[in-house]
Amino acid sequence: MSGKHRKRSRPAVAVAMVVAPAGLTAAAMAAGSIAGVAPSDRTVAAPAPSIDLLALVSAANSTSQFFAGSSYYGTDWSQVYGQQQDPQQIVVPFYKGPQGIADTIDGAQIGVNQTGVTASGWGAGQTGTALGILAEEQNTDALDSIGLVILDNNSNRAGGGFWTTYYPFAPLLGTTADPTPTDLPGVTILDVGYEYNINGDAAVDPMNPFALGNSLAAYAYGYGQESRALAITQEEPGGPVMFQPAGDVEPVVLEPGTHYVIKDGVIVGEYSADGTAENPNNSTIYVTVVSDELPLTRPLRLLPGGDILANAIDPVMTDLVNAGYNDGLGVEDNPTIGDHPAIPEDPTVLRPMKPFSSLSALEAGDLQDSAQEGLEDGVDTAQDDLSNPTNLITKPLAEAAKLPGISSLTSLTSSTAGITPFTSGSANKVVPNTQKSGTSSSATGSKPLQKIADDFSSSLKKFAAGQDKKKNESDDAS
């Protein structure tokens, strides 16, 4: 399934503006990365030097071409890989492509399980291709040096990746439609996707405007936030991958060859992800996060009373959106998960695009039932809002607090974060946070949203201090 890998040419994004069909041009440009967080002060965009300590290699993406954050899922991976090294993180610029990532991993290889690799979006897709290059070159030293590869919102996930789904357009942008290889014994890959997001869960029918618009909305709403919706780490480089469910419960060891479906910070399903007999999966952990709302109608909820209309049309819109995925995948023995046709049980099975497949997936009777359900939901919501007019203000504010970059409103979303973060006595020793809600917490045990708010506040203070210093210097000079 991984196919042959050769040295790839550099991406030529501009080509998409000329050759991509209507709708897919914007989608191709959106198939960048969820950047996670802003890069730390330790980040440098330079090739990896030969070192004798731990290393964290981060692939930049099409949205942030020279920078990459090191924090995913509540863990700063530069504190797990490369904690004794300066710089702790080595960023591979996006333009260097898969070959540049492969060369950097090879240059940083220093010992078994001592190299960490992080990437998101298109950068994650290129990282998968880089692993295939190392395998093709039979570079076992470099592969053995990898303790964990994190592919967040992977554009080359077999079942749903943007490039594997819309494969005819990959060569036009100088990239590859090859799915991320799963036949890399000894290399643990954590592939995390998000329902409806166009990078890793693209609609099968690109001609369905509802599905395509919804997947773009999911990308916009999730940008920079989705990777914080989980709590995952390793106690030591190359060790078991640990997931901390929401609530005061024990961490769960995530096993390779398994697909975990997570909703509200809790595992709601586990499925085998064995791939095909010719190319069995023995190294990848798949995680898919279920969307808590339909992204397409979320903008309505930002308006006073907009939730009334959103709830009224959500059932019909959901049917129209899901029709863009509900094609049976063309594989009878790989069904979708329950009421989530956008999520296949086995994400190692390719899901190529099928234009106009939505037409056969829609049934008039279902739409009629959904319309009736939506009407009832809209009436109930209207009665609730009118009986409690403060909802017209508090609901839009709570929705606004979920927007990317509006992390200062954490008090409105603390009850819905769905995360029990890790506390840590050291960089590699992780202990579940058993503190009850409503009590104060330490800096290391604070919620991710609060940490982002604190970082933002700190940045503002530094900026203000800098402005004051410049003003004082100017006054002194005059």
Side-chain angles (χ1 to χ4, degrees), residues 284-374:
T284 302
I285 300 166
Y286 288 95
V287 173
T288 302
V289 181
V290 174
S291 177
D292 59 348
E293 294 176 312
L294 189 68
L296 188 61
T297 59
R298 284 186 64 181
L300 293 173
R301 301 180 187 278
L302 295 169
L303 306 174
D307 61 318
I308 299 173
L309 179 58
N311 289 345
I313 65 175
D314 254 0
V316 171
M317 289 294 104
T318 299
D319 283 349
L320 294 173
V321 166
N322 287 343
Y325 296 86
N326 191 16
D327 68 331
L329 306 182
V331 182
E332 294 182 0
D333 59 351
N334 186 28
T336 54
I337 295 172
D339 296 329
H340 302 278
I343 306 176
E345 287 189 3
D346 187 352
T348 68
V349 179
L350 284 168
R351 190 172 69 180
M353 69 176 191
K354 295 183 179 179
F356 303 107
S357 59
S358 299
L359 299 178
S360 61
L362 286 171
E363 295 185 10
D366 291 340
L367 289 177
Q368 184 176 355
D369 292 342
S370 295
Q372 181 62 36
E373 177 187 348

Side-chain angles (χ1 to χ4, degrees), residues 19-34:
V19 297
L24 279 179
T25 298
M29 298 304 294
S33 165
I34 289 180

Side-chain angles (χ1 to χ4, degrees), residues 214-267:
N214 184 70
S215 62
L216 288 169
Y219 174 87
Y221 269 99
Y223 191 90
Q225 288 189 318
E226 287 180 325
S227 64
R228 304 184 191 108
L230 302 170
I232 300 176
T233 195
Q234 284 178 310
E235 292 187 356
E236 60 183 8
V241 179
M242 309 293 292
F243 166 67
Q244 176 63 61
D248 188 11
V249 295
E250 292 295 318
V252 176
V253 176
L254 301 181
E255 299 289 347
T258 305
H259 180 203
Y260 298 89
V261 179
I262 295 178
K263 183 177 183 179
D264 296 328
V266 177
I267 296 175

Side-chain angles (χ1 to χ4, degrees), residues 11 16-17 82 87 91 120 211 229 260 265 284-285 316 326 339 345 382 388-389 392 404 422 429-430 472:
M17 304 303 294
V91 176
S120 63
Y260 298 89
T284 302
I285 300 166
V316 171
N326 191 16
D339 296 329
E345 287 189 3
N388 186 10
L392 300 177
F422 290 103
K429 181 63 177 176
V430 178
N472 293 335

